[in-house]
Amino acid sequence: MNQYQKQFDYIARSEDAVGLRNLIARARELNAPEVAEAAFRKLVTLGIDHPAGSVEHDFWQTIQAFEAVLKEERGKTIRLARTRQKVARVGVRQTLADWAEVTASTEGYDMLLQRGMAELTGEAIVLRHASEFPGHIVEAARDRLRRSNVDIDALPSKARCLA
């Protein structure tokens, strides 16, 4: 049995954001990065009003993850106001399509890659839901990830994200 199995079991069934944040802090203090990572990944799935595995759910999970990382780094709550405004104007799918077509480096994209969270990039979401985007957008997302040396075959598929 894994020495952290009790914590992993708690994470799997938890819907308590405060408890998960506390667990992340304790895990970091005790040098248990795998527990902190699992709790963080669970935390960013909470409070999303879309079915798991949907484009919208994956998108808002990414936003929550990025906001959580920014809060941790800057010590205060940071909301991605411009992104949220854009979604209100053009929708989640168009926002993701626009991200996929960006060729320049962006803070959010780079930050997620630096933290080993390539599966949370907008480009990875486009690939997971390729049937919901035009072919040129899917290719743009694939190209951007390849240029960043992301192993596309190692990214979670839609089926694995639902598991």
Side-chain angles (χ1 to χ4, degrees):
M1 184 166 144
N2 182 315
Q3 73 183 46
Y4 300 117
Q5 192 58 50
K6 196 170 163 183
Q7 288 84 1
F8 290 130
D9 291 345
Y10 168 78
I11 292 165
R13 67 177 188 279
S14 182
E15 296 293 323
D16 176 16
V18 172
L20 288 167
R21 283 189 194 94
N22 290 337
L23 180 57
I24 291 167
R26 282 197 318 271
R28 288 182 178 148
E29 288 171 9
L30 298 172
N31 195 27
E34 60 271 38
V35 173
E37 178 73 13
F40 175 82
R41 289 179 181 274
K42 175 66 179 217
L43 177 65
V44 300
T45 67
L46 300 180
I48 299 174
D49 293 331
H50 299 279
S54 67
V55 173
E56 292 79 7
H57 182 276
D58 289 359
F59 175 83
W60 290 112
Q61 180 179 348
T62 291
I63 298 304
Q64 288 189 169
F66 189 55
E67 289 175 342
V69 168
L70 289 173
K71 180 178 182 176
E72 182 179 306
E73 282 189 356
R74 299 178 185 173
K76 61 182 180 178
T77 300
I78 305 290
R79 304 294 278 175
L80 299 178
R82 281 187 250 153
T83 300
R84 291 172 181 275
Q85 289 168 358
K86 179 171 184 160
V87 169
R89 272 192 332 273
V90 302
V92 166
R93 283 172 178 74
Q94 186 60 52
T95 300
L96 287 167
D98 292 347
W99 287 356
E101 292 186 304
V102 169
T103 56
S105 179
T106 62
E107 180 186 16
Y109 180 82
D110 292 342
M111 190 178 282
L112 289 171
L113 292 182
Q114 289 166 359
R115 286 168 177 68
M117 298 181 190
E119 75 281 1
L120 292 177
T121 64
E123 293 74 9
I125 296 170
V126 168
L127 294 183
R128 252 191 324 277
H129 300 278
S131 65
E132 300 187 42
F133 293 92
H136 73 281
I137 297 297
V138 174
E139 281 309 308
R142 186 175 285 116
D143 289 346
R144 185 165 192 216
L145 289 167
R146 282 190 182 131
R147 283 192 311 274
S148 300
N149 298 314
V150 172
D151 181 357
I152 293 170
D153 294 329
L155 292 172
S157 68
K158 191 173 180 180
R160 287 197 305 257
C161 288
L162 290 171

